[in-house]
Protein backbone atom coordinates (compact mmCIF):
# COMPACT_ATOMS: atom_id res chain seq x y z
CA UNK A 1 0.00 0.00 0.00
CA UNK A 2 1.30 3.44 -0.88
CA UNK A 3 2.47 5.76 1.86
CA UNK A 4 0.25 8.72 2.76
CA UNK A 5 1.18 12.06 1.26
CA UNK A 6 3.93 14.11 2.86
CA UNK A 7 2.57 16.83 5.13
CA UNK A 8 5.37 18.73 6.81
CA UNK A 9 9.01 17.85 7.14
CA UNK A 10 8.84 15.33 9.99
CA UNK A 11 5.49 13.73 9.47
CA UNK A 12 5.23 11.37 6.66
CA UNK A 13 8.03 9.10 5.64
CA UNK A 14 6.45 5.69 6.16
CA UNK A 15 9.26 3.10 6.47
CA UNK A 16 8.87 -0.68 6.14
CA UNK A 17 8.34 -2.51 9.41
CA UNK A 18 11.14 -4.24 11.30
CA UNK A 19 13.89 -2.00 9.93
CA UNK A 20 16.54 -0.52 12.23
CA UNK A 21 15.94 2.87 10.62
CA UNK A 22 12.28 2.59 11.59
CA UNK A 23 13.22 1.93 15.21
CA UNK A 24 15.55 4.90 15.15
CA UNK A 25 12.83 7.20 13.84
CA UNK A 26 10.30 5.95 16.38
CA UNK A 27 12.84 6.61 19.14
CA UNK A 28 13.45 10.08 17.73
CA UNK A 29 9.73 10.85 17.70
CA UNK A 30 9.31 9.65 21.28
CA UNK A 31 12.12 11.98 22.32
CA UNK A 32 10.57 14.84 20.38
CA UNK A 33 7.23 14.18 22.06
CA UNK A 34 8.74 14.30 25.55
CA UNK A 35 10.94 17.38 25.23
CA UNK A 36 9.91 20.65 26.77
CA UNK A 37 8.33 23.08 24.34
CA UNK A 38 7.68 26.67 25.28
CA UNK A 39 4.36 28.30 24.57
CA UNK A 40 6.03 30.68 22.12
CA UNK A 41 7.69 27.84 20.20
CA UNK A 42 4.41 25.94 20.01
CA UNK A 43 2.45 28.96 18.82
CA UNK A 44 5.06 29.71 16.16
CA UNK A 45 4.83 26.10 14.97
CA UNK A 46 1.04 25.63 14.80
CA UNK A 47 -0.76 29.01 14.84
CA UNK A 48 -2.29 30.49 11.71
CA UNK A 49 -1.67 34.17 10.90
CA UNK A 50 -4.29 36.40 12.47
CA UNK A 51 -5.97 37.49 9.23
CA UNK A 52 -6.69 33.85 8.30
CA UNK A 53 -7.85 32.88 11.80
CA UNK A 54 -10.35 35.72 11.83
CA UNK A 55 -11.47 35.11 8.25
CA UNK A 56 -12.11 31.38 8.90
CA UNK A 57 -14.12 32.11 12.04
CA UNK A 58 -16.08 34.83 10.25
CA UNK A 59 -17.00 32.46 7.40
CA UNK A 60 -18.15 29.78 9.85
CA UNK A 61 -20.32 32.22 11.80
CA UNK A 62 -21.81 33.65 8.59
CA UNK A 63 -22.13 30.14 7.10
CA UNK A 64 -20.52 31.37 3.91
CA UNK A 65 -17.25 30.11 2.43
CA UNK A 66 -16.55 33.42 0.65
CA UNK A 67 -14.29 35.69 2.73
CA UNK A 68 -15.80 39.07 3.49
CA UNK A 69 -14.39 42.21 1.88
CA UNK A 70 -12.84 43.26 5.20
CA UNK A 71 -11.04 39.91 5.58
CA UNK A 72 -9.82 39.95 1.99
CA UNK A 73 -8.30 43.40 2.39
CA UNK A 74 -6.49 42.54 5.61
CA UNK A 75 -3.82 40.34 4.02
CA UNK A 76 -0.49 41.53 5.40
CA UNK A 77 2.25 41.91 2.78
CA UNK A 78 4.79 39.81 4.69
CA UNK A 79 7.12 37.12 3.31
CA UNK A 80 5.58 33.65 3.19
CA UNK A 81 8.07 32.19 5.71
CA UNK A 82 7.01 34.76 8.31
CA UNK A 83 3.32 33.91 7.96
CA UNK A 84 3.04 30.17 7.45
CA UNK A 85 3.22 27.85 10.49
CA UNK A 86 5.22 24.64 10.09
CA UNK A 87 2.24 22.38 10.86
CA UNK A 88 -1.03 24.32 11.35
CA UNK A 89 -3.42 22.70 13.84
CA UNK A 90 -7.18 23.07 14.29
CA UNK A 91 -8.72 21.55 17.44
CA UNK A 92 -12.24 20.22 18.11
CA UNK A 93 -13.34 19.73 21.73
CA UNK A 94 -16.36 17.77 22.94
CA UNK A 95 -17.27 19.52 26.24
CA UNK A 96 -19.31 16.49 27.37
CA UNK A 97 -16.27 14.22 27.35
CA UNK A 98 -13.53 13.79 29.92
CA UNK A 99 -15.81 13.57 32.97
CA UNK A 100 -17.31 16.88 31.80
CA UNK A 101 -13.85 18.46 31.93
CA UNK A 102 -14.06 19.45 28.27
CA UNK A 103 -14.75 23.16 28.93
CA UNK A 104 -11.66 23.48 31.15
CA UNK A 105 -9.49 21.73 28.56
CA UNK A 106 -10.97 23.94 25.83
CA UNK A 107 -10.01 27.04 27.80
CA UNK A 108 -6.43 25.79 28.20
CA UNK A 109 -6.21 25.03 24.47
CA UNK A 110 -7.52 28.46 23.53
CA UNK A 111 -4.94 30.04 25.83
CA UNK A 112 -2.19 28.11 24.08
CA UNK A 113 -3.04 28.52 20.39
CA UNK A 114 -5.84 31.09 20.21
CA UNK A 115 -9.62 31.01 20.43
CA UNK A 116 -10.09 30.96 16.65
CA UNK A 117 -8.29 27.59 16.26
CA UNK A 118 -10.23 25.74 19.00
CA UNK A 119 -13.85 24.80 18.31
CA UNK A 120 -16.51 23.64 20.76
CA UNK A 121 -18.42 20.85 18.98
CA UNK A 122 -21.69 21.96 20.56
CA UNK A 123 -21.26 25.30 18.79
CA UNK A 124 -19.37 24.49 15.57
CA UNK A 125 -19.99 21.12 13.94
CA UNK A 126 -17.12 19.51 11.99
CA UNK A 127 -19.11 19.58 8.75
CA UNK A 128 -19.53 23.35 9.20
CA UNK A 129 -15.80 23.81 9.61
CA UNK A 130 -15.14 21.70 6.52
CA UNK A 131 -17.69 23.52 4.39
CA UNK A 132 -17.07 27.08 5.50
CA UNK A 133 -13.68 27.09 7.29
CA UNK A 134 -11.71 25.02 4.80
CA UNK A 135 -13.77 26.61 2.03
CA UNK A 136 -12.52 30.00 3.20
CA UNK A 137 -8.89 28.84 3.00
CA UNK A 138 -9.49 27.40 -0.45
CA UNK A 139 -11.06 30.69 -1.57
CA UNK A 140 -7.98 32.63 -0.43
CA UNK A 141 -5.71 30.09 -2.15
CA UNK A 142 -7.67 30.37 -5.41
CA UNK A 143 -6.97 34.13 -5.37
CA UNK A 144 -3.24 33.55 -5.23
CA UNK A 145 -2.69 33.62 -1.45
CA UNK A 146 0.32 31.30 -1.08
CA UNK A 147 0.09 31.36 2.71
CA UNK A 148 -3.50 30.06 2.68
CA UNK A 149 -2.58 27.43 0.09
CA UNK A 150 0.35 26.19 2.17
CA UNK A 151 -1.74 26.05 5.35
CA UNK A 152 -4.52 24.13 3.60
CA UNK A 153 -2.01 21.52 2.40
CA UNK A 154 -0.22 21.12 5.74
CA UNK A 155 -3.20 21.29 8.12
CA UNK A 156 -3.77 18.68 10.81
CA UNK A 157 -6.78 18.19 13.07
CA UNK A 158 -6.77 17.41 16.81
CA UNK A 159 -9.92 15.90 18.35
CA UNK A 160 -10.43 16.09 22.13
CA UNK A 161 -13.15 13.56 22.91
CA UNK A 162 -14.10 9.89 22.95
CA UNK A 163 -14.29 7.34 20.13
CA UNK A 164 -17.68 8.58 18.97
CA UNK A 165 -16.40 12.14 18.68
CA UNK A 166 -13.30 11.06 16.78
CA UNK A 167 -15.40 8.96 14.41
CA UNK A 168 -17.77 11.89 13.84
CA UNK A 169 -14.90 14.17 12.81
CA UNK A 170 -13.25 11.48 10.66
CA UNK A 171 -16.55 10.87 8.89
CA UNK A 172 -17.00 14.55 8.06
CA UNK A 173 -13.40 14.80 6.83
CA UNK A 174 -14.04 11.79 4.59
CA UNK A 175 -16.53 13.90 2.64
CA UNK A 176 -13.55 15.83 1.26
CA UNK A 177 -12.68 12.75 -0.80
CA UNK A 178 -16.22 12.59 -2.17
CA UNK A 179 -16.03 16.29 -3.07
CA UNK A 180 -12.54 15.88 -4.58
CA UNK A 181 -11.11 18.44 -2.14
CA UNK A 182 -7.82 16.80 -1.24
CA UNK A 183 -5.68 16.67 0.75
CA UNK A 184 -7.69 15.38 3.69
CA UNK A 185 -6.15 16.55 6.99
CA UNK A 186 -4.91 13.73 9.25
CA UNK A 187 -6.37 13.47 12.76
CA UNK A 188 -4.66 13.34 16.17
CA UNK A 189 -6.50 12.30 19.34
CA UNK A 190 -6.72 13.75 22.82
CA UNK A 191 -8.53 10.87 24.63
CA UNK A 192 -11.38 12.15 26.82
CA UNK A 193 -13.87 9.27 26.48
CA UNK A 194 -14.55 6.11 28.49
CA UNK A 195 -13.15 3.35 26.26
CA UNK A 196 -10.86 5.39 23.96
CA UNK A 197 -10.16 2.38 21.76
CA UNK A 198 -9.33 4.43 18.68
CA UNK A 199 -6.90 6.45 20.78
CA UNK A 200 -5.27 3.32 22.20
CA UNK A 201 -4.88 1.78 18.75
CA UNK A 202 -2.87 4.72 17.47
CA UNK A 203 -0.68 5.34 20.50
CA UNK A 204 -2.51 8.28 22.13
CA UNK A 205 -3.31 6.34 25.30
CA UNK A 206 -6.42 5.14 27.09
CA UNK A 207 -7.07 8.32 29.07
CA UNK A 208 -5.81 11.85 29.37
CA UNK A 209 -3.14 12.34 32.09
CA UNK A 210 -4.07 13.78 35.48
CA UNK A 211 -1.41 16.45 34.89
CA UNK A 212 -3.45 17.57 31.92
CA UNK A 213 -2.23 21.18 31.79
CA UNK A 214 1.30 20.20 30.81
CA UNK A 215 0.02 17.20 28.82
CA UNK A 216 -2.01 19.44 26.49
CA UNK A 217 1.10 21.25 25.30
CA UNK A 218 2.97 17.97 24.78
CA UNK A 219 0.01 16.49 22.91
CA UNK A 220 -0.19 19.44 20.53
CA UNK A 221 3.54 19.15 19.88
CA UNK A 222 3.27 15.41 19.19
CA UNK A 223 0.31 16.06 16.90
CA UNK A 224 2.53 18.30 14.80
CA UNK A 225 5.56 16.00 14.47
CA UNK A 226 4.35 12.37 14.60
CA UNK A 227 4.02 10.16 11.49
CA UNK A 228 0.74 9.28 9.78
CA UNK A 229 -0.89 5.86 9.35
CA UNK A 230 -3.94 4.63 7.49
CA UNK A 231 -7.28 3.39 8.79
CA UNK A 232 -10.10 1.58 7.00
CA UNK A 233 -13.49 3.27 7.11
CA UNK A 234 -16.74 1.30 6.98
CA UNK A 235 -20.07 2.46 5.60
CA UNK A 236 -23.22 1.20 7.28
CA UNK A 237 -26.72 1.35 5.77
CA UNK A 238 -29.77 0.43 7.88
CA UNK A 239 -32.98 -0.27 5.98
CA UNK A 240 -36.03 -0.51 8.25
CA UNK A 241 -39.73 -1.07 7.47
CA UNK A 242 -41.00 2.30 8.70
CA UNK A 243 -40.71 4.67 11.65
CA UNK A 244 -37.48 6.31 12.75
CA UNK A 245 -34.60 5.88 15.17
CA UNK A 246 -35.01 8.07 18.24
CA UNK A 247 -31.85 10.05 19.08
CA UNK A 248 -29.52 8.39 16.53
CA UNK A 249 -25.77 8.99 17.04
CA UNK A 250 -24.15 11.94 15.26
CA UNK A 251 -22.56 9.69 12.66
CA UNK A 252 -25.88 8.10 11.61
CA UNK A 253 -28.00 10.19 9.24
CA UNK A 254 -31.35 9.64 7.56
CA UNK A 255 -31.12 8.74 3.87
CA UNK A 256 -33.53 8.00 1.03
CA UNK A 257 -31.05 5.77 -0.81
CA UNK A 258 -32.18 2.34 0.34
CA UNK A 259 -31.59 -0.63 -1.92
CA UNK A 260 -31.80 -4.33 -1.08
CA UNK A 261 -30.35 -6.86 -3.52
CA UNK A 262 -33.10 -9.45 -4.04
CA UNK A 263 -31.29 -11.27 -6.84
CA UNK A 264 -27.98 -12.36 -5.30
CA UNK A 265 -29.17 -12.77 -1.72
CA UNK A 266 -32.13 -14.69 -0.35
CA UNK A 267 -34.35 -12.82 2.09
CA UNK A 268 -35.81 -15.04 4.79
CA UNK A 269 -38.36 -12.63 6.28
CA UNK A 270 -40.87 -10.21 4.81
CA UNK A 271 -39.90 -6.84 3.38
CA UNK A 272 -42.20 -3.86 3.85
CA UNK A 273 -43.14 -2.10 0.57
CA UNK A 274 -42.01 1.28 1.95
CA UNK A 275 -38.72 1.65 3.85
CA UNK A 276 -36.73 4.23 5.78
CA UNK A 277 -32.94 4.33 5.77
CA UNK A 278 -30.06 5.51 7.95
CA UNK A 279 -26.47 5.72 6.79
CA UNK A 280 -23.19 6.35 8.59
CA UNK A 281 -19.51 5.49 8.90
CA UNK A 282 -17.62 3.68 11.66
CA UNK A 283 -13.91 3.06 12.21
CA UNK A 284 -13.54 0.63 15.09
CA UNK A 285 -16.61 -1.55 15.53
CA UNK A 286 -20.30 -2.17 14.99
CA UNK A 287 -22.22 -4.43 17.35
CA UNK A 288 -25.72 -5.70 17.96
CA UNK A 289 -27.09 -7.37 21.09
CA UNK A 290 -26.49 -7.28 24.80
CA UNK A 291 -23.27 -5.24 24.76
CA UNK A 292 -25.06 -2.47 22.86
CA UNK A 293 -28.03 -2.68 25.26
CA UNK A 294 -25.71 -2.15 28.24
CA UNK A 295 -23.99 0.74 26.44
CA UNK A 296 -27.39 2.30 25.66
CA UNK A 297 -28.42 2.22 29.32
CA UNK A 298 -25.14 3.75 30.43
CA UNK A 299 -25.30 6.43 27.72
CA UNK A 300 -28.74 7.60 28.85
CA UNK A 301 -27.83 7.57 32.53
CA UNK A 302 -24.80 9.72 31.76
CA UNK A 303 -26.98 12.25 29.91
CA UNK A 304 -29.70 12.31 32.59
CA UNK A 305 -27.35 12.38 35.59
CA UNK A 306 -24.01 13.76 34.40
CA UNK A 307 -22.73 14.20 37.96
CA UNK A 308 -22.46 10.39 38.26
CA UNK A 309 -20.21 10.09 35.19
CA UNK A 310 -17.38 12.29 36.42
CA UNK A 311 -14.41 10.33 35.11
CA UNK A 312 -13.23 7.12 33.39
CA UNK A 313 -13.11 5.04 36.59
CA UNK A 314 -16.61 6.03 37.71
CA UNK A 315 -17.87 5.44 34.17
CA UNK A 316 -16.50 1.90 34.09
CA UNK A 317 -18.00 1.02 37.49
CA UNK A 318 -21.42 2.23 36.36
CA UNK A 319 -21.00 0.45 33.04
CA UNK A 320 -20.23 -2.85 34.81
CA UNK A 321 -23.29 -2.40 37.00
CA UNK A 322 -25.46 -2.04 33.93
CA UNK A 323 -24.10 -5.32 32.61
CA UNK A 324 -25.54 -7.05 35.66
CA UNK A 325 -28.84 -5.14 35.78
CA UNK A 326 -29.67 -5.82 32.10
CA UNK A 327 -29.68 -9.59 32.62
CA UNK A 328 -26.53 -10.55 30.75
CA UNK A 329 -25.33 -12.63 33.70
CA UNK A 330 -28.78 -14.09 34.50
CA UNK A 331 -30.06 -15.03 31.05
CA UNK A 332 -30.81 -18.64 31.89
CA UNK A 333 -32.85 -17.59 34.94
CA UNK A 334 -35.08 -15.08 33.18
CA UNK A 335 -37.81 -15.96 30.69
CA UNK A 336 -37.52 -12.80 28.60
CA UNK A 337 -37.46 -13.11 24.78
CA UNK A 338 -35.24 -10.06 24.63
CA UNK A 339 -32.44 -11.99 26.35
CA UNK A 340 -32.41 -15.01 24.05
CA UNK A 341 -29.72 -15.69 21.49
CA UNK A 342 -29.41 -13.62 18.32
CA UNK A 343 -29.68 -16.79 16.21
CA UNK A 344 -33.46 -16.63 16.76
CA UNK A 345 -33.83 -13.30 14.96
CA UNK A 346 -30.72 -12.71 12.82
CA UNK A 347 -29.28 -14.05 9.58
CA UNK A 348 -25.67 -13.25 8.67
CA UNK A 349 -24.22 -13.14 5.15
CA UNK A 350 -20.67 -12.06 4.27
CA UNK A 351 -18.45 -11.43 1.27
CA UNK A 352 -14.86 -12.53 1.58
CA UNK A 353 -11.92 -10.57 0.23
CA UNK A 354 -11.84 -10.46 -3.60
CA UNK A 355 -15.17 -12.30 -3.84
CA UNK A 356 -18.46 -11.04 -5.30
CA UNK A 357 -20.52 -13.91 -3.87
CA UNK A 358 -22.50 -13.72 -0.65
CA UNK A 359 -21.94 -16.56 1.80
CA UNK A 360 -24.31 -17.44 4.62
CA UNK A 361 -22.54 -17.85 7.95
CA UNK A 362 -24.28 -19.61 10.86
CA UNK A 363 -24.63 -17.64 14.10
CA UNK A 364 -23.93 -19.92 17.08
CA UNK A 365 -26.98 -20.55 19.24
CA UNK A 366 -25.43 -19.25 22.45
CA UNK A 367 -24.36 -15.85 21.05
CA UNK A 368 -26.03 -12.79 22.59
CA UNK A 369 -23.84 -10.09 21.05
CA UNK A 370 -22.22 -9.98 17.61
CA UNK A 371 -19.36 -7.55 16.99
CA UNK A 372 -17.70 -6.57 13.69
CA UNK A 373 -14.27 -5.22 14.72
CA UNK A 374 -11.77 -3.24 12.64
CA UNK A 375 -9.06 -2.51 15.24
CA UNK A 376 -7.30 -4.59 17.89
CA UNK A 377 -8.89 -2.58 20.70
CA UNK A 378 -12.44 -3.03 22.03
CA UNK A 379 -14.00 -2.39 25.44
CA UNK A 380 -11.25 -0.11 26.81
CA UNK A 381 -8.21 -1.72 25.25
CA UNK A 382 -9.13 -5.41 25.17
CA UNK A 383 -8.42 -7.60 22.16
CA UNK A 384 -11.32 -10.09 22.02
CA UNK A 385 -10.23 -11.47 18.66
CA UNK A 386 -6.98 -12.53 20.33
CA UNK A 387 -3.45 -13.14 19.09
CA UNK A 388 -4.05 -16.14 16.86
CA UNK A 389 -1.38 -18.63 15.87
CA UNK A 390 -0.62 -19.15 12.19
CA UNK A 391 -1.85 -22.77 12.27
CA UNK A 392 -5.26 -21.65 13.51
CA UNK A 393 -5.43 -18.82 10.95
CA UNK A 394 -4.68 -21.27 8.15
CA UNK A 395 -7.22 -23.78 9.43
CA UNK A 396 -10.03 -21.20 9.59
CA UNK A 397 -9.02 -19.40 6.40
CA UNK A 398 -8.26 -16.20 8.32
CA UNK A 399 -5.43 -13.69 7.89
CA UNK A 400 -3.66 -11.67 10.56
CA UNK A 401 -5.87 -8.72 11.44
CA UNK A 402 -4.82 -5.11 10.91
CA UNK A 403 -6.51 -1.70 10.74
CA UNK A 404 -5.97 -1.29 6.99
CA UNK A 405 -6.45 -4.81 5.57
CA UNK A 406 -9.95 -4.26 4.18
CA UNK A 407 -11.46 -6.85 6.52
CA UNK A 408 -13.67 -6.87 9.61
CA UNK A 409 -13.26 -9.53 12.29
CA UNK A 410 -16.70 -10.85 13.32
CA UNK A 411 -16.96 -12.47 16.73
CA UNK A 412 -19.63 -13.32 19.28
CA UNK A 413 -20.05 -12.95 23.02
CA UNK A 414 -22.19 -15.37 25.01
CA UNK A 415 -23.58 -14.68 28.49
CA UNK A 416 -21.91 -12.15 30.77
CA UNK A 417 -19.49 -14.64 32.32
CA UNK A 418 -18.09 -15.50 28.91
CA UNK A 419 -17.80 -11.81 28.03
CA UNK A 420 -16.03 -11.15 31.34
CA UNK A 421 -13.37 -13.80 30.65
CA UNK A 422 -12.93 -12.40 27.15
CA UNK A 423 -12.51 -8.87 28.51
CA UNK A 424 -9.72 -9.93 30.88
CA UNK A 425 -8.19 -11.84 27.93
CA UNK A 426 -8.26 -15.25 29.60
CA UNK A 427 -10.00 -16.58 26.49
CA UNK A 428 -10.80 -15.32 23.01
CA UNK A 429 -14.27 -14.46 21.83
CA UNK A 430 -16.23 -16.87 19.63
CA UNK A 431 -14.70 -16.40 16.18
CA UNK A 432 -17.35 -16.27 13.47
CA UNK A 433 -15.74 -14.90 10.27
CA UNK A 434 -13.56 -12.32 8.56
CA UNK A 435 -15.43 -10.29 5.96
CA UNK A 436 -14.98 -7.57 3.36
CA UNK A 437 -18.76 -6.91 3.38
CA UNK A 438 -21.60 -7.86 5.75
CA UNK A 439 -25.38 -8.18 5.42
CA UNK A 440 -27.54 -8.72 8.52
CA UNK A 441 -31.23 -9.50 8.27
CA UNK A 442 -33.02 -8.98 11.58
CA UNK A 443 -36.51 -10.36 12.02
CA UNK A 444 -38.47 -8.75 14.83
CA UNK A 445 -40.66 -11.56 16.09
CA UNK A 446 -41.02 -11.13 19.85
CA UNK A 447 -38.36 -8.39 19.95
CA UNK A 448 -39.76 -4.87 20.18
CA UNK A 449 -36.31 -3.28 19.89
CA UNK A 450 -32.82 -4.33 18.88
CA UNK A 451 -29.86 -2.49 20.43
CA UNK A 452 -26.94 -1.52 18.22
CA UNK A 453 -23.84 0.62 18.54
CA UNK A 454 -20.88 1.77 16.50
CA UNK A 455 -17.68 3.22 17.93
CA UNK A 456 -19.22 3.56 21.39
CA UNK A 457 -22.38 5.37 20.25
CA UNK A 458 -25.44 3.17 20.96
CA UNK A 459 -29.04 3.42 19.79
CA UNK A 460 -32.32 1.54 20.08
CA UNK A 461 -33.48 0.12 16.75
CA UNK A 462 -37.30 -0.24 16.57
CA UNK A 463 -38.44 -3.64 15.28
CA UNK A 464 -41.71 -5.01 13.89
CA UNK A 465 -43.13 -8.50 14.26
CA UNK A 466 -43.81 -9.11 10.58
CA UNK A 467 -41.06 -7.30 8.64
CA UNK A 468 -37.28 -7.50 8.54
CA UNK A 469 -34.67 -4.80 9.14
CA UNK A 470 -31.43 -4.97 7.12
CA UNK A 471 -27.92 -3.80 8.02
CA UNK A 472 -25.39 -3.57 5.17
CA UNK A 473 -21.70 -2.86 5.85
CA UNK A 474 -19.01 -2.28 3.24
CA UNK A 475 -15.60 -0.60 3.15
CA UNK A 476 -15.33 3.03 2.10
CA UNK A 477 -12.98 3.32 -0.93
CA UNK A 478 -10.80 6.03 0.65
CA UNK A 479 -8.91 5.32 3.87
CA UNK A 480 -8.69 7.81 6.71
CA UNK A 481 -5.39 9.29 7.91
CA UNK A 482 -4.59 9.18 11.63
CA UNK A 483 -1.48 10.58 13.31
CA UNK A 484 0.34 8.00 15.43
CA UNK A 485 0.95 9.16 18.96
CA UNK A 486 3.69 6.68 19.83
Amino acid sequence: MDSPPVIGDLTARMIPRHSSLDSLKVSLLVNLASIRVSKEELRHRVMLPKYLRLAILDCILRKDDSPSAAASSSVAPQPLDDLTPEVPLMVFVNPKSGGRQGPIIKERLQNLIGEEQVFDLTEVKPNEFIRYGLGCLEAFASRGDECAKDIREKMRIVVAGGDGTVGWVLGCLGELNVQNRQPVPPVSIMPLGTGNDLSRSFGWGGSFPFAWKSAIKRTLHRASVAPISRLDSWNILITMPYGEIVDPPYSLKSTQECYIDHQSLEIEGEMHPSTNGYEGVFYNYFSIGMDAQVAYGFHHLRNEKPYLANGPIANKIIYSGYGCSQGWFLTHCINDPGLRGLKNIMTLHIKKMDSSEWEKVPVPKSIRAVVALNLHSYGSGRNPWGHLKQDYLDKRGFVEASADDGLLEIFGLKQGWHASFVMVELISAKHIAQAAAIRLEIRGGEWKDAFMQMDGEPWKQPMTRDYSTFVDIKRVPHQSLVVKGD
Side-chain angles (χ1 to χ4, degrees), residues 49-278:
K50 186 175 181 179
Y51 80 96
L52 284 178
R53 297 201 310 269
L54 295 176
I56 289 171
L57 184 59
D58 178 64
C59 284
I60 292 172
L61 294 177
R62 291 189 296 108
K63 298 190 184 305
D64 187 345
D65 59 7
S66 300
S68 64
S72 299
S73 63
S74 64
V75 180
Q78 299 179 38
L80 180 61
D81 290 343
D82 292 339
L83 285 171
T84 308
E86 294 180 56
V87 184
L89 296 181
M90 306 299 281
V91 184
F92 293 99
V93 181
N94 185 347
K96 297 180 181 179
S97 299
R100 308 284 168 163
Q101 298 300 307
I104 302 174
I105 292 174
K106 182 185 75 172
E107 183 179 348
R108 169 66 171 165
L109 285 162
Q110 290 177 333
N111 178 260
L112 281 172
I113 63 172
E115 294 184 6
E116 301 89 358
Q117 284 181 233
V118 181
F119 298 101
D120 186 324
L121 283 169
T122 62
E123 300 171 357
V124 177
K125 305 296 187 287
N127 60 298
E128 294 173 342
F129 168 78
I130 290 164
R131 180 174 179 181
Y132 306 116
L134 290 186
C136 174
L137 274 179
E138 292 163 355
F140 272 111
S142 67
R143 299 175 187 178
D145 188 326
E146 291 297 323
C147 179
K149 180 181 178 181
D150 201 47
I151 286 172
R152 174 65 181 89
E153 292 175 352
K154 292 181 177 179
M155 180 174 290
R156 293 185 173 196
I157 303 294
V158 179
V159 181
D163 286 346
T165 306
V166 177
W168 181 23
V169 174
L170 283 171
C172 292
L173 288 171
E175 290 299 309
L176 291 171
N177 285 312
V178 178
Q179 299 165 10
N180 199 27
R181 293 170 60 193
Q182 292 84 3
V184 178
V187 170
S188 305
I189 305 170
M190 197 174 289
L192 302 184
T194 302
N196 297 312
D197 290 299
L198 271 167
S199 175
R200 295 172 194 269
S201 298
F202 290 96
W204 292 101
S207 61
F208 208 57
F210 287 107
W212 56 267
K213 287 188 177 181
S214 57
I216 286 177
K217 191 160 52 175
R218 290 196 302 270
T219 299
L220 292 177
H221 179 67
R222 288 165 62 195
S224 71
V225 301
I228 301 164
S229 57
R230 294 182 180 272
L231 169 66
D232 284 335
S233 311
W234 296 88
N235 176 270
I236 180 170
L237 175 63
I238 300 171
T239 307
M240 51 194 290
Y242 47 78
E244 61 183 21
I245 299 175
V246 179
D247 295 329
Y250 287 122
S251 51
L252 201 62
K253 305 298 182 184
S254 178
T255 179
Q256 301 300 319
E257 298 180 9
C258 301
Y259 171 74
I260 297 177
D261 186 355
H262 297 274
Q263 305 300 322
S264 61
L265 194 59
E266 178 184 356
I267 295 176
E268 297 187 5
E270 295 291 330
M271 184 175 174
H272 197 273
S274 62
T275 58
N276 285 346
Y278 287 83

Side-chain angles (χ1 to χ4, degrees), residues 225-451:
V225 301
I228 301 164
S229 57
R230 294 182 180 272
L231 169 66
D232 284 335
S233 311
W234 296 88
N235 176 270
I236 180 170
L237 175 63
I238 300 171
T239 307
M240 51 194 290
Y242 47 78
E244 61 183 21
I245 299 175
V246 179
D247 295 329
Y250 287 122
S251 51
L252 201 62
K253 305 298 182 184
S254 178
T255 179
Q256 301 300 319
E257 298 180 9
C258 301
Y259 171 74
I260 297 177
D261 186 355
H262 297 274
Q263 305 300 322
S264 61
L265 194 59
E266 178 184 356
I267 295 176
E268 297 187 5
E270 295 291 330
M271 184 175 174
H272 197 273
S274 62
T275 58
N276 285 346
Y278 287 83
E279 188 173 22
V281 177
F282 69 91
Y283 300 86
N284 190 7
Y285 68 90
F286 164 83
S287 71
I288 176 173
M290 279 302 302
D291 72 321
Q293 183 172 341
V294 172
Y296 182 82
F298 168 77
H299 180 79
H300 278 264
L301 175 69
R302 182 175 60 181
N303 287 339
E304 292 170 4
K305 300 178 180 179
Y307 56 86
L308 293 178
N310 58 6
I313 296 176
N315 288 349
K316 289 171 184 176
I317 293 173
I318 297 170
Y319 201 98
S320 300
Y322 255 100
C324 298
S325 67
Q326 296 295 314
W328 204 351
F329 288 84
L330 302 172
T331 301
H332 300 297
C333 306
I334 301 175
N335 186 25
D336 183 347
L339 300 177
R340 296 174 186 170
L342 290 174
K343 179 181 177 66
N344 299 327
I345 67 159
M346 190 177 79
T347 303
L348 169 64
H349 287 84
I350 68 167
K351 284 183 181 179
K352 294 184 177 179
M353 181 67 78
D354 300 324
S355 174
S356 60
E357 300 296 324
W358 287 104
E359 175 184 329
K360 185 176 180 180
V361 177
V363 178
K365 184 178 180 180
S366 58
I367 295 301
R368 287 169 173 79
V370 170
V371 182
L373 184 65
N374 186 39
L375 301 176
H376 292 293
S377 185
Y378 167 86
S380 299
R382 276 63 177 183
N383 182 9
W385 186 254
H387 301 284
L388 307 182
K389 295 182 179 180
Q390 190 60 48
D391 290 347
Y392 180 81
L393 292 172
D394 295 339
K395 180 180 178 180
R396 293 294 305 270
F398 295 159
V399 297
E400 185 177 355
S402 68
D404 60 354
D405 59 4
L407 291 170
L408 290 170
E409 285 66 54
I410 307 172
F411 62 87
L413 299 172
K414 304 177 184 179
Q415 70 278 2
W417 301 111
H418 173 254
S420 298
F421 287 130
V422 170
M423 289 298 102
V424 296
E425 299 186 6
L426 291 176
I427 58 175
S428 295
K430 182 71 174 178
H431 300 137
I432 298 177
Q434 280 184 319
I438 299 172
R439 156 70 64 82
L440 298 175
E441 180 185 354
I442 308 158
R443 304 171 298 280
E446 297 176 319
W447 288 45
K448 294 181 180 179
D449 301 294
F451 292 89

